[in-house]
Amino acid sequence: MRRLARVPDSPLRLPLVGQWAMVRLEGDAVPGDDADWIALPGPMTVAAGLQRAGLWHLASSTRDFDQEGWCFRCCFDAPAGTGLGQPLCLGLDGLATVASVSLNGEVLLHSQNMFRQHELLLPQGVKPNGNELLIRCEPLAPLLAQRRGRPRWRTPMVPQQQLRWVRTTLLGRTPGWSPNAPAIGPWRDVWCEPLAPRRLTHLSWQAEVVDGQGRLRVALASQAPEALRAAAISLVCGEQRVQAALLPGDEGRWQAEVVVPEPALWWPHTHGRPALYEVSLHWPGDEAAQHLGRVGFRTVTLDTAQQGFGLQINGVPVFARGAVWTPPDALSLHAPGEQYHDLLKPLCAAGLNMLRVAGPMVYECPAFFDACDALGVMVWQDLMFANMDYPGEDAAFLAEVEAEVTQQAQQWQARPSVVVVCGNSEVEQQAAMWGRRARPGSRRCFISMCLRCWLRCCLAWRIGRPAPTVVRCLFSLRWARVLITAWAPTSAPWRTRPAAA
């Protein structure tokens, strides 16, 4: 089972702790104990593990990592407090790139997209002792060598044009533009969590400002659906506190609408205070509330007067002063969660109020957006497509992309910092520079599919009536972008409502 909705970290969710190691693959055989395993402190990329072990250094690298296959192993015991046969959930938040996962000899997952997260249900749990998790990462070169249709143009920044077929980052594969250390292996967290009755399996929410009121609509589901009966959602910001009861909804979910009179608005730090509301779930018969996250109330409108492109936050024009964000570490592609706040504070001190997460990079982790929300930094978020002629007419490719974008969009729900989502980075511009037109299928890939994924997320909280949409989509060669804007619902003239069910 894969996570398709934003689910908060559970108090029971723990990093998978054990004896981590990696080894280079030699053929198809599973490496044995006599192989040259390299000990690791936890999951990480091959490049990060090699440099940590002193076996390779970024500064002197001419190594072609895409020619190599690697296997990661974690030998672990059952998490403390779990009983024999207790169902568990194994989470893998990022595998680069063509990977298979097996547990105690049983294959659980095949993945070909480094940008997707996976949750694997283990109905029988794990053994009390001596479990073995194997993550096998195949070399990318054979996949890139397959004969496929030619692209309509070649981008000079990427030597291997067939990367357009593979859902992986361009970092490490663009000589002169990024270090030669492409991500291979478990580049994000690997964790384990008992399937307790109160474990949340779904969380979707939408924050908007309507007629001067803040409205938060929430949809929840838990491992045991009846566990949410008589539960409530609360919002707290300073002295202001409001609460609403959860009511039965569709598909076994429980829903609530919390109305905040005269809400404190979220602003970019250059224009005001980035007010945030703490959202908590109050379980029946339990005095301790479960923290779900923080949301902000604000509106975003797009100003295209005189063929321009401008943003208004809460009706006020905002001049964007920003920069392109790159991953904090070139090898691991992320940083410990607590460091993002400190990394962003100097940008605020310098007067910057927007960061762009660009298409050649990677999708950032929740800690990054937490820091942007708290510090009042707007985010221009590209989808991870850049420069190349992507096969937007290929059904299998589109299906994989749709699952990826749906998952990412659900992670960005109610993020006040996310003000622009851009379908790609310089694809149309690259085509124009070569005197080509982008494939019609590619346009469908970057417009129709992206809109459909986001609208699906927006409608997830429906409470038996039409739901306001929050999407504004533009296409322009001048801007060389596909833009999905107005992340929170607004009262702009182009705000629309879908037909009632």
Side-chain angles (χ1 to χ4, degrees), residues 95-134:
L95 300 174
T97 294
V98 180
S100 59
V101 178
S102 62
L103 177 64
N104 297 331
E106 179 185 357
V107 177
L108 301 178
L109 172 71
H110 294 283
S111 175
Q112 296 194 47
N113 188 334
M114 75 169 287
F115 302 124
R116 291 183 64 181
Q117 300 166 313
H118 306 279
E119 287 189 358
L120 308 177
L121 297 183
L122 309 176
Q124 305 302 319
V126 295
K127 298 185 296 185
N129 306 102
N131 297 282
E132 182 183 64
L133 175 71
L134 289 179

Side-chain angles (χ1 to χ4, degrees), residues 7-28:
V7 178
D9 289 342
S10 164
L12 299 178
R13 182 173 300 177
L14 298 172
L16 188 63
V17 177
Q19 296 176 345
W20 280 90
M22 68 178 188
V23 66
R24 184 171 176 177
L25 291 172
E26 301 292 343
D28 296 331

Side-chain angles (χ1 to χ4, degrees), residues 26-72:
E26 301 292 343
D28 296 331
V30 177
D33 292 336
D34 57 345
D36 295 327
W37 291 95
I38 302 168
L40 302 173
M44 62 180 61
T45 64
V46 168
L50 289 175
Q51 180 158 288
R52 185 182 184 280
L55 301 175
W56 170 85
H57 197 278
L58 180 63
S60 59
S61 174
T62 58
R63 189 169 184 163
D64 187 355
F65 282 97
D66 285 337
Q67 295 283 351
E68 303 175 7
W70 286 81
C71 184
F72 293 78

